[in-house]
Amino acid sequence: MRKRQIAALILALLFLFGLLAEAADAAAPAEANFPPKDSRYHNYPEMVAEIMAAQAAYPDLVSVFSIGKSYLGRDIWVAKVSDHVTTDEAEPEVLIDALHHAREHLTTEQALYLLKVLTTGYATDSLVKRLVDSREIFIVFALNPDGMQYDLTGSPYRAWRKNRQPNVGTGTVGTDLNRNYAYDWGCCRGSSGSPGSLTYRGRRPFSAPETQALRDFVQSRVIDGRQQIVMHITLHTNGELVLWPYGHTKTDIPADMTRTDHAAFVALGKRMAQRNGYKPEQSSDLYITDGDQIDWMYGRYRIFSFTWELYPTEHHRTSDFYPADERIAAAVANNRSALLYAIDKADCPYSPIYQAKADCGPLYDDFEIDRGWTRDPDGTDTATDGLWQIGDPTATSILGPKQLGTTTSGRAALVTGLAGVKGTDANDVDGGTTTIRSAPVLLPDPVGDLTFSYYFSHRSNATSADWFRVWVEAQDGTRTLVREELGKATDDDARWIPVRVSMKPWAGQKVRIVIGAADGAGDSRIEAAVDDLRIERP
Ligand code: CXA
Ligand code: CA
Ligand code: ZN
Ligand code: CA
Ligand code: CA
């Protein structure tokens, strides 16, 4: 080829690439903007730019990542704010999320405002510095970016609520993300099964990619069996409300909530409301919702999870979702102290009910969910029935109560064989030993006591080869027996007994609690249970 031909070829290729690049530009969605009168609000690209700018300006405090993509492929961005931000430190975690509902744009402004407070305030505000240094704060700025942008394609708005996932075969679009969570999904007339409805719950729990992303992120914060996120606020508009679970029932303290947690929810909610002037109440006091996020966050993970309905108080007209952009600054600043309060309380959500010593130590297991227990950790268990189980026990009785249907908290406990009599058998421990071991717990120095409630019950055919035992296991595997009850030839009914053991020998160490029960040397009727296992603050 001559030089001229080569040059012509190169030019032709360049031209082709140019065309391709232009086509690609045209394929990328042209993102809608807020109307000029509301230009202080952020659309999706402006929001992303602001988050990235914060990361660039404060790389030691802010780390931005995506937890997944929306149905139309937009990233769902999270900023982690903390000292040593790129390290996962053992600090209480807080999750604040915004914009489940497309038209609730003020919530994204609230999330961006929080990011601003935590970053710009770090150098000058000692409270902000203390919180950023001692917590890990995750901010989700827009869980529903497709709906957010679609809402801006109206004239000027569409008052859109749901995501933008088509409901195949119906000609309708959108799932209400706040009805798409798995906890008691669709249980209670608090959502709709009609795809066209504003509160359509989706085809199944987590059918929306956006709720899947949130689910997977929250699940990823379970480390060594323990959920790291202690406190959560999901931002909505409007009504100026602080709402706690549950949404799916009007009952204040149903079986799937403990009295202690309810008391903490009410105390925390009231204290938040004191700071932002909102009205505190149970979510279902407003109306029943099912499949909503806070029910799942608490029900599944026992996270202290709140819905905040932001400015304004009125929530009758569509225009109430679109306060003029002059209102943003005051509306979001109004929540400054309530947000910092919530972040502060992640260290001990039970402190407002004066339970810090008992309930905010390195371990508090009420057995209402499984916090990472391993049955038969050595692979040497010999019991053939009545193995340790976590759940809601059935009462059994023979010559008095042998397995209790009650617990010392909530509906669940750690019990040898949850079920009652099955066939001719009592579902008690049979054939040998059953053991179960907790997730590791890092003890501070100084450390408080180990406390728990338990029972060990048997009939008069028991012997000292039957037993209930609790050990503390050090990191090198050495076990120290800290509680033992042996069987004897008397009828011993089940009744909860409180126990207290010093943990001083293990201060500063990583330990596990091991619990065992045995039916040895001939078949005896043996039952055991444990509830409310704590290692207290000193
Ligand atoms: C909500 C849930 C339960 C009771 C009150 C409020 C949150 C939310 C919803 O319905 O999902 N309310 S909102 N933002 O008006 O849609
Ligand atoms: Ca951490
Ligand atoms: Zn909402
Ligand atoms: Ca319990
Ligand atoms: Ca037995």
Side-chain angles (χ1 to χ4, degrees), residues 421-449:
V421 178
K422 48 170 198 186
T424 55
D425 187 82
N427 200 27
D428 65 321
V429 184
D430 287 329
T433 304
T434 177
T435 60
I436 194 162
R437 186 173 72 176
S438 77
V441 188
L442 181 61
L443 303 183
D445 187 2
V447 64
D449 293 342

Side-chain angles (χ1 to χ4, degrees), residues 80 87-93 136 221 223 228:
K80 177 185 170 187
T87 313
D88 183 9
E89 296 184 296
E91 294 168 338
E93 298 181 10
E136 295 182 321
R221 300 319 301 151
I223 293 166
Q228 305 294 299

Side-chain angles (χ1 to χ4, degrees), residues 221-261:
R221 300 319 301 151
V222 176
I223 293 166
D224 276 342
R226 176 185 275 227
Q227 174 56 258
Q228 305 294 299
I229 301 170
V230 177
M231 191 73 71
H232 164 248
I233 299 167
T234 183
L235 301 169
H236 285 258
T237 70
N238 41 48
E240 302 197 346
L241 305 165
V242 170
L243 306 170
W244 58 79
Y246 283 107
H248 74 269
T249 173
K250 294 222 176 257
T251 307
D252 290 359
I253 313 176
D256 47 354
M257 180 177 282
T258 62
R259 301 196 151 271
T260 304
D261 286 357

Side-chain angles (χ1 to χ4, degrees), residues 99-418:
L99 208 97
H100 272 67
H101 292 143
R103 61 193 168 190
E104 300 174 6
H105 300 284
L106 188 64
T107 64
T108 296
E109 303 306 317
Q110 185 74 70
L112 290 170
Y113 168 84
L114 176 61
L115 179 63
K116 194 140 257 167
V117 166
L118 297 177
T119 51
T120 63
Y122 186 79
T124 51
D125 187 311
S126 60
L127 172 59
V128 168
K129 179 172 185 338
R130 177 172 71 77
L131 294 178
V132 170
D133 285 347
S134 58
R135 310 281 185 270
E136 295 182 321
I137 304 151
F138 296 94
I139 308 173
V140 178
F141 298 88
L143 190 73
N144 181 7
D146 298 345
M148 174 187 194
Q149 281 306 115
Y150 179 71
D151 191 51
L152 303 182
T153 63
S155 49
Y157 302 115
R158 289 185 184 271
W160 192 252
R161 171 178 170 94
K162 301 189 284 182
N163 75 348
R164 291 297 298 162
Q165 182 175 16
N167 299 313
V168 177
T170 69
T172 69
V173 173
T175 296
D176 182 344
L177 298 183
N178 207 27
R179 301 292 183 279
N180 193 235
Y181 288 82
Y183 200 77
D184 279 345
W185 178 81
C187 69
C188 307
R189 303 173 152 273
S191 60
S192 172
S194 307
S197 164
L198 275 179
T199 56
Y200 177 50
R201 66 178 78 101
R203 291 167 58 93
R204 57 178 184 280
F206 294 117
S207 55
E210 296 85 359
T211 53
Q212 282 171 27
L214 196 290
R215 172 197 66 192
D216 294 348
F217 172 66
V218 172
Q219 175 60 36
S220 77
R221 300 319 301 151
V222 176
I223 293 166
D224 276 342
R226 176 185 275 227
Q227 174 56 258
Q228 305 294 299
I229 301 170
V230 177
M231 191 73 71
H232 164 248
I233 299 167
T234 183
L235 301 169
H236 285 258
T237 70
N238 41 48
E240 302 197 346
L241 305 165
V242 170
L243 306 170
W244 58 79
Y246 283 107
H248 74 269
T249 173
K250 294 222 176 257
T251 307
D252 290 359
I253 313 176
D256 47 354
M257 180 177 282
T258 62
R259 301 196 151 271
T260 304
D261 286 357
H262 179 262
F265 266 121
V266 173
L268 289 164
K270 284 184 172 166
R271 281 163 175 77
M272 290 172 185
Q274 269 168 13
R275 287 163 172 82
N276 59 14
Y278 290 5
K279 183 181 176 199
E281 58 186 337
Q282 185 174 335
S283 183
S284 56
D285 289 353
L286 218 60
Y287 48 85
I288 296 277
T289 51
D290 49 46
D292 72 61
Q293 187 194 15
I294 65 171
D295 282 16
W296 180 76
M297 296 284 281
Y298 175 72
R300 172 74 180 78
Y301 292 106
R302 301 284 141 164
I303 294 168
F304 284 95
S305 180
F306 293 84
T307 302
W308 285 9
E309 295 278 355
L310 305 185
Y311 176 91
T313 323
E314 302 75 32
H315 51 113
H316 311 292
R317 292 158 298 141
T318 299
S319 62
D320 296 329
F321 287 108
Y322 301 100
D325 69 357
E326 289 82 3
R327 305 269 164 219
I328 297 172
V332 300
N334 178 62
N335 284 316
R336 185 180 194 279
S337 120
L339 282 168
L340 295 179
Y341 173 79
I343 294 167
D344 190 17
K345 288 298 141 188
D347 182 48
C348 183
Y350 299 104
S351 65
I353 56 166
Y354 312 102
Q355 290 289 327
K357 185 177 159 67
D359 297 351
C360 294
L363 176 67
Y364 173 26
D365 197 336
D366 58 15
F367 293 102
E368 299 306 303
I369 55 170
D370 185 343
R371 294 176 172 86
W373 289 82
T374 309
R375 199 162 63 190
D376 191 12
D378 308 327
T380 55
D381 283 3
T382 47
T384 53
D385 198 6
L387 308 185
W388 287 114
Q389 285 182 305
I390 292 165
D392 182 356
T394 304
T396 64
S397 184
I398 174 159
L399 303 172
K402 290 297 178 287
Q403 175 163 298
L404 299 177
T406 60
T407 62
T408 59
S409 67
R411 65 176 165 188
L414 174 66
V415 181
T416 53
L418 287 170

